[in-house]
Amino acid sequence: INAEYMGSFGPMDCAVPGSSSDLSNQPPQQQPPQPPQRTIKQPPQLPIKQPPQPKQPPQQPSQQPQQPLQPPPTQPEQPAVDESLLIGADQILRQVQYYFSDDNLPGDNYMLANMSSEGWFDVSLLFRFPKVQKIQSQHKLNQSFIVQTLRFAETLELSPDSRYVRRKGDQPEQLKVGARTVSVLGYQPGTSEKEIFELFSRFGTVSSIKLPKKKKKKKKKNPTL
């Protein structure tokens, strides 16, 4: 288009379809009215009545048969200890400990001859001693009981196999015991060693007691004709 030609028309408004000036002059488009939404009312729910349940009779507590009261458990009665065994065990301990004491062992040639270099003495030989045999028969003690009793001796010890016994500590030496020995006269005949031991134990330690042996009267033989 020639400018001169355009100028002959003078100023004019020209609207380009689709431009903003064209849209502003158009009337607003109205949307079609939408039908109103209807709310569907649900019918109210009626409460369902359950049929009445039959009443159950009240449960009575079950009565269990009463068990008879039992007495509390009693501890088993311990067997009574024979007093004769205790007395015999005490006498065995004192007698055997005396055999290994300084008052007897240094001058007992029989025990020294049957004793090892370490001081062990055969237990079976103890049962040949007359005083041990007397205590054993008087209180009815067996040999195994006597061996186990020696374990409680304060001055003796047993070998692991319980076949030998020896004194504890140093081995016996040749001691002079005369300065510690007293001679007692005037006691009544028939007095036992136990009574004398209890009497003199009030004044000190009593290592051993020796009663004089009764001399047997020899019967005179009739002279031969």
Side-chain angles (χ1 to χ4, degrees):
I1 301 174
N2 194 352
E4 296 180 355
Y5 177 79
M6 294 294 296
S8 61
F9 289 95
M12 59 181 297
D13 294 332
C14 181
V16 180
S19 62
S20 60
S21 60
D22 189 16
L23 292 175
S24 61
N25 295 327
Q26 292 181 3
Q29 296 181 1
Q30 296 181 357
Q31 297 180 357
Q34 297 180 358
Q37 296 181 358
R38 295 181 180 180
T39 57
I40 301 174
K41 295 183 178 181
Q42 296 181 357
Q45 296 182 358
L46 298 177
I48 300 175
K49 295 184 177 181
Q50 298 181 355
Q53 298 181 357
K55 294 183 179 181
Q56 298 181 358
Q59 297 181 358
Q60 297 181 357
S62 59
Q63 296 181 358
Q64 298 181 356
Q66 296 182 357
Q67 298 180 357
L69 297 177
Q70 298 181 358
T74 57
Q75 296 182 355
E77 296 182 358
Q78 297 181 355
V81 180
D82 191 356
E83 187 177 358
S84 179
L85 292 178
L86 297 178
I87 297 175
D90 181 66
Q91 293 180 1
I92 285 292
L93 285 178
R94 288 196 292 110
Q95 186 62 40
V96 177
Q97 288 184 115
Y98 165 73
Y99 291 148
F100 288 87
S101 66
D102 293 338
D103 298 331
N104 179 76
L105 189 57
D108 195 325
N109 296 327
Y110 177 79
M111 293 189 65
L112 294 175
N114 291 277
M115 191 174 292
S116 67
S117 58
E118 297 178 353
W120 292 108
F121 186 78
D122 195 341
V123 174
S124 62
L125 298 178
L126 292 175
F127 302 114
R128 300 180 185 180
F129 293 179
K131 290 188 176 181
V132 174
Q133 293 178 352
K134 181 180 179 180
I135 298 172
Q136 182 179 2
S137 61
Q138 183 178 359
H139 298 282
K140 299 179 181 179
L141 308 178
N142 54 36
Q143 294 184 1
S144 60
F145 178 82
I146 294 176
V147 173
Q148 296 302 323
T149 301
L150 295 179
R151 294 186 179 278
F152 298 94
E154 296 180 357
T155 60
L156 302 178
E157 63 176 337
L158 281 173
S159 61
D161 56 0
S162 301
R163 294 179 56 187
Y164 299 93
V165 61
R166 70 177 178 181
R167 56 183 281 169
K168 294 180 180 179
D170 298 335
Q171 297 307 314
E173 299 177 357
Q174 299 293 336
L175 301 176
K176 295 181 180 181
V177 297
R180 298 184 284 113
T181 304
V182 295
S183 178
V184 180
L185 301 175
Y187 57 87
Q188 296 181 359
T191 304
S192 62
E193 292 183 8
K194 182 179 179 181
E195 294 175 348
I196 298 177
F197 178 82
E198 293 176 353
L199 175 62
F200 286 93
S201 295
R202 303 174 187 175
F203 308 99
T205 303
V206 179
S207 300
S208 62
I209 297 174
K210 289 184 179 181
L211 295 178
K213 297 181 180 180
K214 295 181 180 180
K215 295 181 179 180
K216 296 181 180 180
K217 295 181 179 181
K218 295 182 180 180
K219 295 181 180 181
K220 295 181 179 181
K221 296 182 179 180
N222 296 329
T224 55
L225 298 176

